Amino acid sequence: MKELVEVLAKALVDHPEEVNVTERRENGETVLELRVAPSDMGKVIGRQGRIARAIRSVVKAASTKTDERVIVDIVQ
């Protein structure tokens, strides 16, 4: 899942070298923290959060194959 989020984010931003995804386990869930350059934050979130919602939907669909709950957090 980590690689999926990283590929999606790098395709959206102007500074793909600053995309960083960290993975941690918390309460039986996998939490993916996505960090991007401050100037790219708007591109990852999108208008009214549409891009962020789309990223979360893709990850949710991919995680159903492995039967695990994955949460994507976009962190500044």
Side-chain angles (χ1 to χ4, degrees):
M1 292 303 140
K2 179 179 175 181
E3 294 82 16
L4 175 62
V5 173
E6 194 170 321
V7 168
L8 290 172
K10 284 184 177 182
L12 293 169
V13 299
D14 290 334
H15 305 287
E17 67 279 356
E18 293 191 39
V19 171
N20 183 16
V21 180
T22 57
E23 182 176 355
R24 61 183 163 86
R25 301 283 296 163
E26 187 176 285
N27 300 329
E29 301 171 339
T30 302
V31 178
L32 299 174
E33 291 183 348
L34 173 61
R35 296 179 197 278
V36 296
S39 60
D40 290 329
M41 190 62 78
K43 291 181 176 98
V44 173
I45 295 173
R47 287 196 177 171
Q48 298 178 357
R50 288 186 182 142
I51 302 295
R53 201 168 327 141
I55 291 171
R56 290 181 178 119
S57 295
V58 169
V59 171
K60 183 177 180 180
S63 69
T64 57
K65 289 185 176 183
T66 59
D67 288 330
E68 66 177 314
R69 183 166 159 82
V70 179
I71 299 171
V72 178
D73 283 339
I74 300 172
V75 184
Q76 280 188 332

